Amino acid sequence: QVQLVESGGGLVQAGGSLRLSCAASGRTFSSYTVGWFRQAPGKEREFVAASAWSGGNQYYADSVKGRFTISSDNAKNTAYLQMNSLKPEDTAVYYCASRGRWTIGTMRRWNDYEYWGQGTQVTVSS
């Protein structure tokens, strides 16, 4: 089992920045991919970004490319999502997720991840 706990959400004005954190515990050595997803009210959960826990290639949704950056600190078992130039349409609950494989083809599918955090609310005001 892997436990994930997100933090860092909040209320920010459009154009502002936030950094989300995802602290992992448990059988972290069994995790290969860390992903960030978000879900706005009345909408489906959508992919935001993903990377290997060990670093390397990063993958982003087109809607956040150039504004968001995913990273991880293996020594702290923590992943981050730096969000800049935030827009009102970025408002959602953001979830950290992890899975025990590195499969690029399914990286954007939320149902391909085994472990999930509780989510953190991000609200961007206009």
Side-chain angles (χ1 to χ4, degrees):
Q1 289 284 347
V2 177
Q3 293 79 42
L4 303 172
V5 178
E6 302 101 333
S7 61
L11 173 64
V12 64
Q13 288 189 333
S17 298
L18 283 174
R19 189 176 81 156
L20 306 183
S21 298
C22 172
S25 61
R27 295 172 61 88
T28 56
F29 58 86
S30 65
S31 294
Y32 288 87
T33 308
V34 56
W36 288 94
F37 293 79
R38 65 187 182 186
Q39 188 165 18
K43 294 187 177 182
E44 292 188 355
R45 189 167 299 189
E46 65 173 358
F47 170 79
V48 175
S51 178
W53 272 104
S54 59
N57 290 341
Q58 302 162 0
Y59 299 84
Y60 298 96
D62 289 343
S63 59
V64 307
K65 200 172 295 183
R67 300 188 297 123
F68 291 11
T69 302
I70 186 173
S71 63
S72 59
D73 185 335
N74 267 355
K76 297 182 178 180
N77 285 332
T78 301
Y80 304 96
L81 185 68
Q82 177 67 43
M83 305 185 296
N84 299 327
S85 303
L86 283 161
K87 305 175 181 179
E89 50 264 42
D90 294 319
T91 295
V93 176
Y94 282 70
Y95 297 92
C96 172
S98 181
R99 63 179 189 176
R101 57 194 168 276
W102 178 250
T103 308
I104 296 174
T106 58
M107 184 176 305
R108 299 169 184 264
R109 301 178 189 173
W110 66 266
N111 56 1
D112 203 58
Y113 288 74
E114 294 108 355
Y115 306 107
W116 290 84
Q118 82 288 354
T120 184
Q121 176 71 45
V122 171
T123 303
V124 184
S125 62
S126 57

